[in-house]
Amino acid sequence: MIQIYHNSRCGKSRECLTFLEDSGQEFKVIKYLDDVPTFDELKSIIEKLDIKPIELVRKKEKIWIENFKDKPLSDNEIVLAMISNPILIERPIVVNGDKAVIARPLEKITTII
């Protein structure tokens, strides 16, 4: 089943949710700020995205700038930072089986559904 890691306060995430609703496909909404992925879940998402953990970080967030920017962090430390501060996770993420995209721009969704 398709999953969307969603933040209702984010316009891009709301656009993505509307796109999925209009697609007629079944999907599950994961409000990742409330239902934070585990370390293994986030690592799996990163693998499906085929990116490095740092590429999933919202680097303009105050938490990142004040606590992590310019520090030599391992990939695992970056994942732990995102789990501890889920606002740092880029959104929206759409997962379909063994594939995933960060739906920015929105059209990227069409590559996996």
Side-chain angles (χ1 to χ4, degrees):
M1 176 181 289
I2 297 169
Q3 299 171 309
I4 176 174
Y5 287 80
H6 177 62
N7 177 348
S8 61
R9 295 184 64 168
C10 172
K12 295 290 183 188
S13 194
R14 290 191 306 269
E15 284 177 21
C16 184
L17 184 61
T18 299
F19 181 92
L20 288 172
E21 289 169 345
D22 292 346
S23 77
Q25 298 201 37
E26 287 190 34
F27 63 93
K28 178 181 178 183
V29 176
I30 300 168
K31 295 180 180 181
Y32 68 92
L33 295 177
D34 299 322
D35 187 12
V36 180
T38 66
F39 181 86
D40 289 338
E41 288 170 336
L42 193 54
K43 288 281 281 192
S44 176
I45 292 167
I46 292 166
E47 287 174 16
K48 290 174 184 180
L49 288 166
D50 195 27
I51 62 174
K52 295 279 188 193
I54 192 66
E55 296 174 71
L56 191 58
V57 173
R58 295 178 54 83
K59 295 174 208 71
K60 293 181 182 176
E61 288 289 338
K62 185 176 180 180
I63 293 169
W64 180 261
I65 293 167
E66 292 179 353
N67 298 295
F68 304 104
K69 184 181 177 188
D70 299 325
K71 291 186 179 178
L73 301 172
S74 69
D75 285 351
N76 285 345
E77 289 171 324
I78 293 168
V79 172
L80 289 171
M82 287 188 281
I83 291 169
S84 298
N85 305 280
I87 194 70
L88 294 176
I89 301 172
E90 187 60 81
R91 68 223 177 214
I93 301 168
V94 178
V95 178
N96 189 6
D98 63 350
K99 297 177 184 175
V101 293
I102 301 169
R104 289 175 175 257
L106 182 61
E107 295 76 28
K108 285 187 175 184
I109 299 172
T110 60
T111 64
I112 66 165
I113 62 170

